Amino acid sequence: MKYELDFNDYKLVENTKVYRIIALKNFGNVKAGDKGGYIKKDNLSHEGNCWVFDNAIITDNAFVKENAMINDNVIVKGNVRVFGNVEILDNVVIDNNAVICGDATIYNNAVITGNAIVGNYVKISNEAVITDNAKVLDDSIVSGKAIIKGIVKGCAKITDNAVISMNQTVSNSSNGLYFSNANFWNDA
């Protein structure tokens, strides 16, 4: 085992107790005795270098594994799965059945919910919302309060209040594609 729960240090999150974790051994950037964030029970793998730092919370049936790092005041809940070399920080909320994988970086008040999938070398930030059955893949960047409900892939950059609705795909496989203050939706 790489951590234990501190039953004397807990928070209530939506009527559920989450307990601070304490490292039992050295791994990655974590040293034995380091205090981490909060989890409900078995939300964090004992394998790999994954860790929950600071005041981050993993609750419900959410699960973090491999080398994923959850930092600051992040909340991961529902049936979310986070794995790979993911880094999530600041005040991000990830909920429902979302999957975050690969080398994704998510920060600065982003929200990922629904059945969204975020993976590969994606960067999500600045209050962006990824929701419904959205997929954000490859080397794409989503930021600036953009709302994604469709598919973004292939080095696309979506920002500044842009909206990509369900059944819409934005893709570019070479030099990147940039949308700012754009709206794409299907009226059918």
Side-chain angles (χ1 to χ4, degrees):
M1 290 185 25
K2 72 179 184 183
Y3 67 87
E4 65 183 2
L5 302 179
D6 180 350
F7 292 105
N8 295 315
D9 187 353
Y10 65 90
K11 293 182 178 186
L12 278 175
V13 178
E14 298 175 1
N15 295 319
T16 300
K17 282 186 181 180
V18 291
Y19 303 93
R20 186 168 300 275
I21 55 175
I22 301 172
L24 297 176
K25 63 181 184 177
N26 296 340
F27 59 93
N29 293 327
V30 178
K31 304 294 180 227
D34 283 357
K35 290 186 176 185
Y38 295 84
I39 67 173
K40 180 179 171 186
K41 188 176 177 184
D42 296 322
N43 305 90
L44 181 67
S45 174
H46 287 278
E47 304 297 320
N49 290 325
C50 57
W51 191 244
V52 180
F53 293 89
D54 309 312
N55 290 308
I57 295 169
I58 314 297
T59 189
D60 299 331
N61 296 314
F63 191 69
V64 175
K65 65 181 184 174
E66 295 177 358
N67 298 313
M69 299 291 174
I70 313 298
N71 301 281
D72 302 321
N73 297 304
V74 170
I75 298 174
V76 179
K77 59 185 182 174
N79 294 308
V80 170
R81 297 293 178 255
V82 180
F83 57 95
N85 296 311
V86 170
E87 183 172 19
I88 306 172
L89 52 154
D90 298 327
N91 296 304
V92 169
V93 175
I94 304 176
D95 195 5
N96 297 118
N97 299 306
V99 174
I100 315 298
C101 59
D103 290 282
T105 303
I106 304 165
Y107 57 100
N108 199 5
N109 303 315
V111 175
I112 301 174
T113 188
N115 296 310
I117 298 173
V118 173
N120 298 341
Y121 293 94
V122 169
K123 292 194 184 324
I124 310 285
S125 67
N126 299 332
E127 299 180 37
V129 176
I130 314 300
T131 189
D132 295 336
N133 293 312
K135 291 180 178 66
V136 180
L137 307 168
D138 306 326
D139 291 303
S140 297
I141 297 171
V142 178
S143 67
K145 297 185 181 180
I147 299 172
I148 309 299
K149 296 182 178 183
I151 298 172
V152 175
K153 62 182 182 175
C155 303
K157 181 176 181 182
I158 312 295
T159 188
D160 298 329
N161 300 305
V163 177
I164 309 300
S165 74
M166 292 187 300
N167 302 320
Q168 297 300 311
T169 299
V170 176
S171 176
N172 189 321
S173 60
S174 58
N175 296 325
L177 188 60
Y178 176 76
F179 288 100
S180 175
N181 290 309
N183 291 300
F184 296 91
W185 57 79
N186 186 353
D187 292 329

